[in-house]
Amino acid sequence: GEDVEQSLFLSVREGDSSVINCTYTDSSSTYLYWYKQEPGAGLQLLTYIFSNMDMKQDQRLTVLLNKKDKHLSLRIADTQTGDSAIYFCADEGATNKLIFGTGTLLAVQP
Amino acid sequence: EPEVTQTPSHQVTQMGQEVILRCVPISNHLYFYWYRQILGQKVEFLVSFYNNEISEKSEIFDDQFSVERPDGSNFTLKIRSTKLEDSAMYFCASSPANTNTEAFFGQGTRLTVV
């Protein structure tokens, strides 16, 4: 079945850029998503990219998609302590259920 | 901003008991979902619901689970006879269309089965 994998942990210093990586296996992906989960909170949609695009920029967020390698990344520019959270990559395939990765815990050091 | 509301935020129940997790989706949304996240594991799809019937369900969603939209505003997940392994955070989501680009998730209900 479809699978989505992410590294578990990333630590950066405030003001640096963060890059969170994700790989997926689904060949019929329509959209790929990035969600943010803060402690005790739900899943907040940050951004998404259509599978025919290779880049999307939204303020401090840049999503890169390499469809050939099935690799997705989220770059957060000028990372702030408020960006500390778990970031989930998710794949939406032919049916519109989401397949989530394990989540990457981003720790931002002041 | 509109939001999906889930109640209760935390439910503790004894093994074998029935639980009902409640969700109030955003009012003009037509597609509804339940996901769960066992502690330390991935968020997993359980079921999608549209036009008063299940559109898709995962292999997790066995006969112990059911969903209902009883009154046009609530969307409920019932677990008939809870097991220890049902302990998880349960997330409800709703969307106006058959895509997740406009979907919103609730804050989750933490279910603890003892």
Side-chain angles (χ1 to χ4, degrees), chain B residues 36-79:
Chain B
R36 79 171 185 191
Q37 184 182 27
I38 294 171
L39 190 64
Q41 297 187 24
K42 294 184 181 185
V43 176
E44 303 171 288
F45 169 80
L46 290 179
V47 66
S48 57
F49 190 86
Y50 169 72
N51 200 26
N52 279 323
E53 56 184 39
I54 289 174
S55 310
E56 185 178 358
K57 59 184 181 179
S58 72
E59 57 197 28
I60 302 166
F61 195 89
D62 61 21
D63 292 344
Q64 293 298 312
F65 291 87
S66 61
V67 288
E68 200 178 30
R69 193 154 154 78
D71 55 13
S73 61
N74 289 285
F75 177 52
T76 61
L77 174 69
K78 184 194 289 187
I79 309 174

Side-chain angles (χ1 to χ4, degrees), chain A:
Chain A
E2 302 96 342
D3 195 22
V4 177
E5 295 294 336
Q6 301 175 238
S7 52
L8 291 180
F9 182 71
L10 176 66
S11 179
V12 299
R13 300 195 74 86
E14 194 172 18
D16 288 350
S17 291
S18 307
V19 179
I20 302 171
N21 294 300
C22 169
T23 57
Y24 62 98
T25 59
D26 186 2
S27 299
S28 60
S29 293
T30 50
Y31 290 94
L32 293 133
Y33 298 81
W34 285 103
Y35 286 86
K36 178 182 180 183
Q37 185 182 36
E38 295 180 88
L43 298 164
Q44 176 197 354
L45 177 62
L46 280 180
T47 187
Y48 61 88
I49 188 166
F50 186 52
S51 58
N52 280 350
M53 297 171 63
D54 51 23
M55 186 178 103
K56 180 178 179 181
Q57 185 146 8
D58 184 359
Q59 299 182 335
R60 291 191 297 123
L61 305 179
T62 303
V63 180
L64 295 178
L65 174 60
N66 181 326
K67 197 172 179 183
K68 174 175 161 290
D69 294 339
K70 296 192 175 68
H71 182 268
L72 182 75
S73 68
L74 174 71
R75 179 176 179 271
I76 305 173
D78 186 26
T79 315
Q80 303 297 307
T81 54
D83 295 323
S84 294
I86 300 175
Y87 290 80
F88 290 94
C89 166
D91 163 37
E92 177 181 313
T95 66
N96 72 336
K97 70 181 183 190
L98 291 168
I99 307 295
F100 284 87
T102 46
T104 299
L105 175 62
L106 174 65
V108 183
Q109 312 299 325

Side-chain angles (χ1 to χ4, degrees), chain B residues 61-102:
Chain B
F61 195 89
D62 61 21
D63 292 344
Q64 293 298 312
F65 291 87
S66 61
V67 288
E68 200 178 30
R69 193 154 154 78
D71 55 13
S73 61
N74 289 285
F75 177 52
T76 61
L77 174 69
K78 184 194 289 187
I79 309 174
R80 238 177 295 283
S81 176
T82 49
K83 304 189 281 285
L84 294 175
E85 54 264 37
D86 294 326
S87 295
M89 182 74 93
Y90 288 79
F91 292 106
C92 172
S94 71
S95 178
N98 193 20
T99 175
N100 293 281
T101 58
E102 297 169 79

